Amino acid sequence: MSREIAARPAPFVLDIGRVALVIIDMQRDFLEPGGFGAALGNDVTKLRAAIGPIVTVLAAARAAGILVVHTREGHRPDLADLHPAKHRRAAGIGRAGPMGRILVRGEAGHGIIDDLAPADGEPVVDKPGKGAFYATDLETILHKRSITQLILAGVTTEVCVHTTLREANDRGFECLVLEDGTASYFPEFHRAALEMVAAQGGIFGWVAASADVAASLAGA
Ligand code: TIU
């Protein structure tokens, strides 16, 4: 069944049987003090505005029975999958912090915040890079479920959300980005990143408010 969502630059025609919600990197390491985001010099409180809107869309997605995928950025404990090029520019990765070793799989900081904890059966994709398709099984998971549309949420808008959006675009997925269910440490980057999605007739896809997406999922 199809249903239109109010969106920029044009309404998004939701295909409820082929859409997935992808929640990107809503991890303590990015959203709570003492993690990776803070180690990079950021004010992590700036990302918290996205939590409520994502909670709303996640509840609607679960009620509608659509696929929900969660991603986590992080590395193996021995950092074997951490490129030197990334390590040099993010020296905090692997260091001990108040939430365990920063951006290391299995540590408390690497985990998804309690408000958005994955439910049983929802795939959690661990990724070593910014994009959720690079060096992961995400594409296989989506193809197996015949998914062609992605609703993208999470942090940060211009880094991991945008990288995933671009990877998804080139793989043929239609992408809708939640304007209030994404966030950046830099409000001006958040705004610009969203404008880039919808500009030029929707060069990367669509941008919509979480309330409109949740309402459409609820009615579908
Ligand atoms: N630093 C920053 O804005 N983001 C990241 O390093 N990763 C994600 O966006 N998840």
Side-chain angles (χ1 to χ4, degrees):
M1 190 174 74
S2 296
R3 197 177 171 87
E4 280 196 355
I5 301 176
R8 299 194 304 276
F12 181 79
V13 181
L14 181 72
D15 184 345
I16 195 71
R18 291 177 173 262
V19 66
L21 171 64
V22 181
I23 304 177
I24 297 170
D25 300 1
M26 290 298 284
Q27 298 161 256
R28 295 185 193 94
D29 260 325
F30 292 103
L31 288 129
E32 293 185 6
F36 184 55
L40 293 173
N42 297 304
D43 170 7
V44 295
T45 62
K46 289 215 166 74
L47 302 189
R48 302 198 69 83
I51 298 172
I54 301 175
V55 166
T56 302
V57 173
L58 176 58
R62 285 173 177 162
I66 72 166
L67 177 65
V68 177
V69 180
H70 306 258
T71 75
R72 299 184 296 203
E73 181 177 348
H75 296 278
R76 295 168 177 265
D78 64 1
L79 307 185
D81 58 351
L82 177 57
H83 293 300
K86 180 177 179 183
H87 205 178
R88 274 194 291 274
R89 288 172 294 114
I93 297 176
R95 283 200 195 138
M99 297 185 289
R101 294 178 64 211
I102 287 175
L103 229 58
V104 169
R105 294 175 189 166
E107 303 286 343
H110 180 258
I112 292 170
I113 59 171
D114 290 343
D115 286 340
L116 295 168
D120 285 348
E122 291 174 353
V124 178
V125 172
D126 280 321
K127 61 190 187 62
K130 305 305 183 199
F133 288 87
Y134 169 68
T136 74
D137 52 8
L138 176 61
E139 194 167 6
T140 304
I141 291 169
L142 298 175
H143 283 325
K144 186 157 187 198
R145 293 277 295 255
S146 301
I147 299 296
T148 60
Q149 300 184 330
L150 304 181
I151 298 168
L152 297 175
V155 295
T156 61
T157 321
E158 80 279 13
V159 182
C160 290
V161 175
H162 240 262
T163 305
T164 301
L165 163 79
R166 290 164 188 241
E167 290 180 326
N169 247 270
D170 284 344
R171 286 169 172 78
F173 294 95
E174 293 184 314
C175 297
L176 178 149
V177 180
L178 295 184
E179 65 187 351
D180 50 350
T182 51
S184 170
Y185 301 117
F186 306 90
E188 67 275 26
F189 291 175
H190 174 72
R191 276 194 301 277
L194 294 177
E195 280 177 32
M196 284 178 210
V197 177
Q200 305 182 65
I203 194 77
F204 289 124
W206 291 259
V207 176
S210 58
D212 291 330
V213 173
S216 290
L217 288 171

